[in-house]
Amino acid sequence: MSARPPGAAARGPREGRPGGMDIARRFLAFFQERGHTVVPSASLVPAGDPTLLFTNAGMVQFKDVFLGLERRSYARAVTVQRCLRVSGKHNDLETVGPSPRHHTLFFMLGNFSFGDYFKREAIAYAWEFVTRELHLAPDRLVMTVYQDDDEAFQHWRALGVGADRIHRMGERTNFWSMGDVGPCGPTSELHYDWGPERCTCGRADCGVPLDNDCGRWLEIWNLVFMQFNQASDGTRTPLPRPGVDTGMGLERIAAVVQDAPTNYDTDLFAPVMDRVQRLLGHTDAQRRAAIVPYRVIADHGRAATFLIADGVTPGNEGREYVLRMILRRAMRFGRRAGFRQPFLGEVAEVVIDQFGQEFGELVRRRDFIVKMVEAEEERFAQTLSAGLERLTEVVAATRARGETTIAGADVFRLYDTYGFPVEMTRDAAREEGLGVDEEGFRAAMEEQRRRSRAAGAAGEGALDDASLANLPATQFVGYRRETASAAVVAVLRAGRRVEEAAAGDEVVVVLDRTPFYAEAGGQVGDTGTLSAPGLRVEVTDARRFAPAVIGHVGRVAAGRLRVGQRVRAAIDADRRAAIRRNHTATHLLHKALQEVLGEHALQRGSLVAPDRLRFDFTHTGPLAPEEREAVERRVYEQVLAARPVRAREMSQDEARRLGATALFGEKYGERVRVVEIAGYSRELCGGTHVTNTAEIGAFAITAESSAAAGIRRLEAVTGWGAYDRARAHERLLAEVAAALRTSPADLIERARRLAEQAKGGTRPARAPEPDLDGAVRVTEQVDGVRVVAARVDGATHEALRAAGDRLRERMGGGVYVIAGAAGDRVHLVAMVTPDAQARGLRADVLLRALAAALGGSGGGRADLAQGAGRDPAALAGALDGLPGRVRDLLATG
Ligand code: ATP
Ligand code: MG
């Protein structure tokens, strides 16, 4: 038996060698001493660049500076940039695990020159840093330069590097360009030579770093010299002020400095790898046997932790999809390593402990990150096993047919029903020596999108954007004015351009200028009138058409409307005032939520209507009553503080400097509008606001619910809405008191006595919360709609509703039926979430059918219904038949 506990074998850093984060700190200090400004790592979600899913290099945050579109106060910068390479032209996802040197998320050390120093200094700095600061042996280093780049060659020679250690390479490895046009130039790389004993390529010419991933060679640092501007015809002209962009992988340089066999053996990964081993109770030999899954878990766990810290939540599209895919992929590798229990929350904790000092947001958002990871893990755990079984069947069937690729329809079904990302199915297929039909998968996916779009669009009055596309931009004058005199530029009837419209016609009217705010940023469009002598058009909505044309949607109430005539456009001013109050209140609410819950509570969507506001934000789990009250009070304090509100236009850069909150992933133009509540908040926003918070008058939170995984929804009222609500409550109280023949003040006492009398003197006991894990009988996707049936016997309707709420919270949108035997009866509750309602499903319809099948009845609303049946013996069959019933309803609805 070995004397040391498992895990102590960690081939981590040698005694006395600098840790990974020490190297990062030394890098910053080294370049700071040489005149570089230390710039913090940008978010993994690039600001205002919808063409790029994730930050994948240090230069991303400086792209506009290199392009000459933006100026900074410094010409030299140094960063430790978190990067993610899982999409687009930099996608290392599938090498992670087998490769000792590739990660999804890694830290890139970079120094930058914006038209300041060039090749000579960049090369000298790099050499000095690795040989003097990190003490790498010069004879272990080999350089590459671009074939024609004699300058770079000579600069290396001048430092004493032998000509035999500088290799000229071709365009593919040593020429860089930002895109098909724009800045580009030669590169020079530093490679580390581990020595011939680590050669894995076996080639005779392995003495030079070939681009073939041979284990002997490790590319550690890439120096990019931005020297030319490439035109669309391919010609390159010298840039007036050439620049430098460099990138060194922290995990790789740590492996070299710590003499670790792979990046995973450095102190940057050892803690997570060791924790995984401890959780699994593996011996060192078991750990070695499962090293690929260990690496994937450690890598993906780290990537997910940072992604969530940067505001990404798991979902089905874009960045959100990538996060979900990474977590699910980690879970499947977790199964392979031997996990049967949740483990990713622990992994996230280790990552937060490890990097929290450098990246404070990890610590500040700790609870949120861990809860989010655990929730996603729990959500997928429910379908992972069933999905893996299904996958085994699919693999067998594919082989039986003598085929080598899994059909697109099967891949899609695994995705749609079991939540298997295609990347994960592809991994599993590869392990079986099979491929997947990606094209077929995409086609099936597109088909489903098309169907649900068609379902969603049905009933919408179709508006023909194209016919408005060539019109000039409408001038919006509604920030200051409620009326304007304007010319009619175009009229649409039934989606077609017309010259005239008569009384009774439904129209869309375009003016040259307008005070009507078109729906945007959650704020609803204005209503009002367009009038002229003898003419009156009632406007019921204002909407924006591409690119900046505002359409007034409404009906001609009297007279004739002609293109070219002048009208007086007037919005409903009271309604707008109510909207203003609600919009400013959402800004107060956003800030208050961050103060009370933490900085992870970021806006994810909103609705600003005259009668209420709705606000979605990232947070796991319901607010505690104290939290809710604290948020409400904060907002109210700002109302009473009568803070002035003003809006200003400025450059994006200035807004960033002022610390204005921008919405997650939102794209903003060069000039932005910043709404500032004096001394309290600054947000980028194009909406209409009060001029002083006191105008809001009153504020009350009216409802809270879950909007999606990790996203909470609050509803609130202000001004007259809050007043009406308070009045209504008081009226209700008075009526209840009158009915019970007492005064509102004595109501509680009276109610308590009545309850005791009714229960024969005992206080009603609360039903215990049912255990939901064993309760779910059916969970299936029916034509893109999640259908869940759960059974909880002996429960009241209230308990069933609570169980339904919890299931929905956990599993997301869909159709839920929770039922159970209660004595000789059956209690039934059905819930249908808004997205499933959009597919034509209704809780009341479904429930009535189910109850009828069980000899009973029931009713309710589209979202929630309940009822009872008389045949407990038939319940199991009824629940199992739920997917079929939903399928029928979808087909007929
Ligand atoms: P490789 O050829 O090894 O994939 P690359 O050419 O893609 O590297 P660059 O885009 O030049 O690398 O990035 C600069 C540096 O960042 C590299 O020299 C390397 O040290 C590091 N790096 C790049 N990709 C990864 C990755 N997936 N994981 C860890 N480090 C990386
Ligand atoms: Mg690469």
Side-chain angles (χ1 to χ4, degrees), residues 57 84 152 206 216 244 258 263 265 305 334 372 374 411 430 550 664 697 815 844 872 885:
L84 193 71
C206 179
R216 173 170 177 179
V244 173
Q258 296 172 11
N263 292 1
D265 301 299
T305 303
M372 183 66 83
E374 287 175 348
V411 181
R430 194 182 313 110
I550 296 175
F664 172 84
V815 173
D844 48 356
R885 225 174 250 285

Side-chain angles (χ1 to χ4, degrees), residues 548-570:
V549 179
I550 296 175
H552 304 76
V553 181
R555 191 173 147 274
V556 182
R560 295 187 79 79
L561 172 72
R562 267 178 229 97
V563 171
Q565 87 177 109
R566 291 206 75 80
V567 293
R568 182 172 177 277

Side-chain angles (χ1 to χ4, degrees), residues 670-686:
E670 179 53 27
R671 302 283 299 168
V672 294
R673 186 165 178 269
V674 174
V675 173
E676 176 172 351
I677 300 172
Y680 195 60
S681 103
R682 284 198 187 98
E683 276 192 40
L684 268 57
C685 176

Side-chain angles (χ1 to χ4, degrees), residues 17 33 118 128 136 142 148 163 182 188 293 311 320 369 427 449 454 473 573 584 600 744 756 831:
R17 310 236 182 181
E33 281 158 22
F118 201 42
E128 191 186 347
L136 301 193
V142 165
D148 303 335
S188 180
E320 305 189 339
I369 295 169
D427 295 334
R449 286 227 175 96
T584 308
H600 66 270
E756 270 165 30
M831 294 175 170

Side-chain angles (χ1 to χ4, degrees), residues 56 141 275 391 413 508 511 518 554 578 637 683 717 727 777:
N56 57 18
L141 292 165
R275 177 68 65 91
L391 185 64
R413 196 166 152 206
V508 177
L511 306 174
E637 275 162 19
E683 276 192 40
V717 288
R727 265 264 148 269
R777 281 184 67 95

Side-chain angles (χ1 to χ4, degrees), residues 751-766:
R752 213 170 259 148
R753 236 178 302 129
L754 283 172
E756 270 165 30
Q757 281 165 12
K759 289 277 166 190
T762 57
R763 285 166 64 97
R766 274 191 72 80

Side-chain angles (χ1 to χ4, degrees), residues 828-830 843-849 851 856-862 864-868:
L828 291 160
V829 168
D844 48 356
V845 173
L846 190 63
L847 191 108
R848 268 197 294 275
S857 64
R861 302 181 310 236
L864 174 67
Q866 66 184 50

Side-chain angles (χ1 to χ4, degrees), residues 85 92 101-103 106 108 219-222 247 249 252:
R85 293 196 167 181
D92 292 333
R101 59 179 78 158
H102 286 94
H103 308 295
F106 66 98
M108 196 186 276
E219 177 192 325
I220 51 177
W221 202 344
N222 191 1
R252 292 189 190 182

